[in-house]
Amino acid sequence: MSSAETRAETSVRLTPHPLQRVGAYALLRLAGLNTTRRHPESLTDAEFEAAWGTMTDDVVATAWLEDTKAPGAFWLSSSYLFWPNSKVNPTNRRTLTERQRVELIQTWRTLPAAAPIELSGVPCTLCGQMACGFYGKVDVPLAASVEHRNSTVPGHEGLALCQGCLGSFYAMPYGCAINGGKASILHSWDDSALAMFTTRQVRLTRRRINLKSTSANELRYSREVEALRALKSYDDRLRDGVELYVFSNSNKQQTLDVYGVDQPLAEWLRSTVHSPALKAGYKYLIRAHYSSKVPGAVRLAYNIFRHPHRVPITAVDYLSQLTAEKGAPPPETEALAQLHRSFIEEVFGVAQRDVDQITRLGNSIGALLLEAPERGMLKQFEHAQSDPMRLQAWLKRSATKWTLERKVTEPLVTTEQWRLLFEPGDRVRFHRDLLFVAVLEHLARNQWLAGTPNDRDDRDDDILTEDEDQ
């Protein structure tokens, strides 16, 4: 490592590059600092060098390992994912002595001078500070390989970086969940949330480094599950959405997939698990996603990051299935109905006025069904609910009955309610589902119940609520 006298003052800055941003917050943790109280741009020279030294020691320690199957080979194994063809994993590694490996790695990871004369005036591509060198795929995951560029002279690494940005890229892997040959990070433009996400993941990654075995049991969609778990653990209001980056810098297949969760959904998830009124409904939402092949918590996490529109639909299908099985709305109905309304209002922006209109109609239909509590009456409504034309016909017949038998002037279905249920639009499915849930909720509230709460495997709940420190 170069001495402080040969360097200008180090400055770590946050840039628009998500991987660099994660790395910048990881530097704080590697320097032994509280990332929730400090900002990366407050790092001193001494703190930056302490973090750099920790990272260097970790990769130098791989020099004494025989191969990736040796105990404690986490970084040697991961080096093929993050730094292919680096000094950690050269093709002739087996023929080198341990001392030669150490020297190669130390040469690669020696902290470069802040602004070498040969780069005078060259700015960092990401933050604009003076660059300390040019870097490519070996040091910067997902950077273009020299074989695939025609914008620089042959062999030129291409990407000018300063010390702060280079250090951030080296620190970034500590903020990654690594499994199945790929890495993933949970990123947000809300810096406070990003600090917490990264702090949590650095702690988990460093714990895994100390394990004797680098292998890990990989659950299906484990990245989405871990990301959802991190999101739920955040205490403050989320000011922006989150993104799950899944990538590999491997020579075999360089890949990048990004799954975004918009701010309304991210905040709904975070706040729901802390809400006494919605906690029960969330538990049932997990159970609604259960299948014989995939635990409910796993399927819910997958839908949240990949198909969020399926979340409320799955809840409605679950209630419909249980109602059909039991012959009446199940005891889960009221809690899940409240959660369903909360979701479509806060996540999809269905107006409160529209929700109230449809809920009012659902209460009226429920009152009609209560007057004739035979299973067949509810069955007719369930059958009609599945098709817009059948539902229109059912409502017309029920409206006639409502008017003749109750002798009221107020119609069963208003023009506004009819419009919400049947005029084409991107929310009409949500409106009809809301009607179905409102009817079931009214019946459940008035004690038209059968059986006990569904007792599907409670292990679904444990996946997202287990104490990660155990």
Side-chain angles (χ1 to χ4, degrees):
M1 181 181 297
S2 59
S3 65
E5 289 75 20
T6 63
R7 301 173 47 236
E9 183 178 355
T10 301
S11 179
V12 177
R13 296 181 181 177
L14 292 184
T15 74
H17 197 301
L19 301 187
Q20 186 273 340
R21 285 168 52 82
V22 169
Y25 277 103
L27 281 172
L28 282 173
R29 185 73 180 181
L30 293 172
L33 305 174
N34 187 330
T35 56
T36 61
R37 297 182 180 179
R38 291 280 299 274
H39 192 278
E41 295 178 7
S42 72
L43 272 169
T44 66
D45 264 12
E47 291 165 346
F48 180 81
E49 289 188 2
W52 190 286
T54 296
M55 295 188 293
T56 302
D57 290 344
D58 282 345
V59 289
V60 167
T62 66
W64 286 276
L65 301 174
E66 182 177 351
D67 54 34
T68 59
K69 297 180 181 179
F74 179 85
W75 285 121
L76 179 58
S77 176
S78 299
S79 68
Y80 296 93
L81 167 62
F82 294 109
W83 315 298
N85 298 334
S86 70
K87 302 304 181 183
V88 175
N89 54 42
T91 54
N92 64 338
R93 186 179 187 279
R94 287 185 176 275
T95 66
L96 300 176
T97 65
E98 292 176 352
R99 176 75 325 201
Q100 288 174 321
R101 294 173 189 169
V102 169
E103 292 174 354
L104 281 174
I105 295 171
Q106 287 179 334
T107 300
W108 173 45
R109 282 300 185 92
T110 295
L111 182 60
I117 296 176
E118 62 270 23
L119 268 71
S120 179
V122 177
C124 173
T125 303
L126 297 181
C127 72
Q129 298 184 100
M130 290 299 97
C132 65
F134 292 101
Y135 302 90
K137 177 179 169 67
V138 172
D139 303 279
V140 184
L142 304 179
S145 171
V146 292
E147 286 82 10
H148 300 154
R149 289 199 314 265
N150 59 10
S151 56
T152 61
V153 297
H156 193 288
E157 292 296 341
L159 193 64
L161 294 178
C162 66
Q163 289 176 326
C165 287
L166 178 62
S168 297
F169 280 118
Y170 286 155
M172 181 272 301
Y174 290 84
C176 291
I178 304 167
N179 53 57
K182 292 185 179 181
S184 61
I185 63 168
L186 187 62
H187 174 264
S188 177
W189 298 106
D190 181 337
D191 289 350
S192 297
L194 179 60
M196 191 284 291
F197 297 153
T198 305
T199 297
R200 174 184 176 278
Q201 186 57 55
V202 171
R203 183 179 72 251
L204 295 175
T205 299
R206 297 187 78 178
R207 185 183 302 159
R208 188 174 172 191
I209 292 171
N210 295 325
L211 297 177
K212 290 184 178 180
S213 174
T214 60
S215 62
N217 295 326
E218 184 182 359
L219 296 173
R220 193 177 185 186
Y221 310 131
S222 59
R223 299 181 186 91
E224 289 85 349
V225 171
E226 282 297 322
L228 181 55
R229 185 181 291 156
L231 182 58
K232 288 173 53 182
S233 67
Y234 188 57
D235 292 329
D236 298 325
R237 179 177 176 79
L238 278 162
R239 299 187 299 272
D240 212 317
V242 299
E243 299 161 312
L244 179 63
Y245 283 75
V246 182
F247 66 95
S248 170
N249 196 45
S250 168
N251 280 335
K252 294 181 179 179
Q253 186 179 23
Q254 184 168 294
T255 62
L256 170 65
D257 295 298
V258 183
Y259 306 104
V261 175
D262 293 338
Q263 189 275 338
L265 175 53
E267 174 57 21
W268 182 86
L269 289 163
R270 186 207 65 80
S271 61
T272 295
V273 296
H274 298 290
S275 168
L278 297 177
K279 269 189 175 181
Y282 188 81
K283 177 180 180 179
Y284 295 136
L285 182 65
I286 292 176
R287 294 185 181 184
H289 282 78
Y290 168 86
S291 75
S292 60
K293 296 182 179 180
V294 183
V298 175
R299 187 167 165 232
L300 173 60
Y302 175 83
N303 278 346
I304 284 169
F305 280 92
R306 304 206 187 196
H307 307 288
H309 68 281
R310 293 181 183 174
V311 174
I313 292 174
T314 301
V316 175
D317 289 345
Y318 175 72
L319 283 179
S320 177
Q321 176 186 346
L322 289 185
T323 300
E325 292 173 358
K326 296 175 179 292
E332 296 95 325
T333 301
E334 291 188 74
L336 202 49
Q338 185 177 1
L339 188 83
H340 179 265
R341 279 196 303 274
S342 170
F343 191 99
I344 64 173
E345 287 178 17
E346 297 182 31
V347 177
F348 290 135
V350 176
Q352 181 67 54
R353 182 177 181 276
D354 295 345
V355 171
D356 292 342
Q357 288 269 4
I358 295 173
T359 301
R360 191 177 302 118
L361 174 58
N363 290 338
S364 298
I365 293 174
L368 272 178
L369 294 176
L370 283 169
E371 293 176 357
E374 297 84 6
R375 172 64 185 131
M377 297 300 293
L378 179 57
K379 190 70 175 177
Q380 288 179 20
F381 174 70
E382 292 174 24
H383 182 66
Q385 174 67 20
S386 62
D387 179 83
M389 297 302 293
R390 285 201 297 264
L391 181 58
Q392 287 184 15
W394 189 92
L395 285 174
K396 289 176 181 177
R397 291 195 303 272
S398 299
T400 301
K401 180 180 179 181
W402 173 273
T403 303
L404 294 178
E405 295 186 3
R406 289 176 172 255
K407 297 181 172 58
V408 294
T409 57
E410 181 181 345
L412 173 66
V413 187
T414 67
T415 302
E416 179 67 11
Q417 290 165 341
W418 191 272
R419 182 188 65 80
L420 291 172
L421 292 172
F422 302 115
E423 280 193 3
D426 57 353
R427 296 181 180 178
V428 68
R429 168 67 190 268
F430 295 138
H431 294 160
R432 286 202 290 266
D433 281 350
L434 178 60
L435 176 65
F436 180 66
V437 172
V439 171
L440 296 185
E441 184 182 21
H442 183 86
L443 296 177
R445 191 184 301 119
N446 286 275
Q447 306 302 310
W448 195 9
L449 303 175
T452 58
N454 189 307
D455 57 358
R456 277 183 171 151
D457 196 345
D458 283 341
R459 287 176 298 174
D460 286 352
D461 308 322
D462 295 338
I463 292 177
L464 292 185
T465 58
E466 64 184 3
D467 183 351
E468 293 146 6
D469 290 330
Q470 294 300 314

